[in-house]
Amino acid sequence: MAGIWLTGTCDASQEKDGASEKEGERERERERERERERERERERERERERKRERERDRERERERERERERARESESKRENKRETERERVRQRERERERERERERERERERERERERVREREREQESERQRKRERKRERERERERERERERERESERERERERES
């Protein structure tokens, strides 16, 4: 009797222990599942964090690219301004050179005019010289004529002297 009871109690206890063990196993399995779920959630969170970090990296890169673009635009504007200024300097220099050339041309024209004036003066002086020379020649000719006239007169005078 005692063994039966013990056996029954033992069986019942074993059943109870078995049910309890199964329940414990199921609880551990549920805990492992919750742990796996928490791990998956942590992994999803890490993935979201990596994704946010990649997005921040891309945003920083886009900002750096915008900054580089602004720097290129600024440099381009500065270079354009420098080139515009260099072109203005070259334009002013060309204008000054054209003005110097015009001044040289005006000076050459003035020199040609002075040369024409000197040439006219030389021609006029030559003409005056020729006139004076012709006048002196006429004067000498008249003087020779008077001399011949005096000579003839003297000759006539001597002729009359001889006749008388």
Side-chain angles (χ1 to χ4, degrees), residues 99 101-110:
E99 186 49 43
E101 185 49 43
R102 287 190 292 267
E103 185 49 42
R104 286 190 292 266
E105 186 49 42
R106 288 190 292 266
E107 185 49 41
R108 287 190 292 268
E109 186 49 44
R110 287 190 292 267

Side-chain angles (χ1 to χ4, degrees), residues 68-112:
R68 286 190 292 268
E69 185 54 33
R70 285 191 293 270
R72 282 190 295 269
E73 285 174 5
S74 290
E75 182 51 34
S76 180
K77 282 178 186 173
R78 283 191 298 273
E79 183 50 38
N80 286 343
K81 279 175 80 171
R82 286 191 293 266
E83 184 49 40
T84 299
E85 184 51 35
R86 285 191 293 266
E87 185 49 40
R88 277 197 296 265
V89 166
R90 287 190 294 267
Q91 184 59 35
R92 287 192 298 267
E93 186 47 42
R94 285 191 297 268
E95 187 48 46
R96 284 192 292 269
E97 185 49 42
R98 285 192 293 270
E99 186 49 43
R100 287 190 291 268
E101 185 49 43
R102 287 190 292 267
E103 185 49 42
R104 286 190 292 266
E105 186 49 42
R106 288 190 292 266
E107 185 49 41
R108 287 190 292 268
E109 186 49 44
R110 287 190 292 267
E111 185 50 41
R112 287 190 291 268

Side-chain angles (χ1 to χ4, degrees), residues 13 24 35 51 61 78 84 87 97 103 125 148 151:
S13 180
E35 186 50 42
K51 194 174 173 182
E61 186 49 41
R78 283 191 298 273
T84 299
E87 185 49 40
E97 185 49 42
E103 185 49 42
E125 183 52 37
R148 286 191 295 270
E151 189 56 41

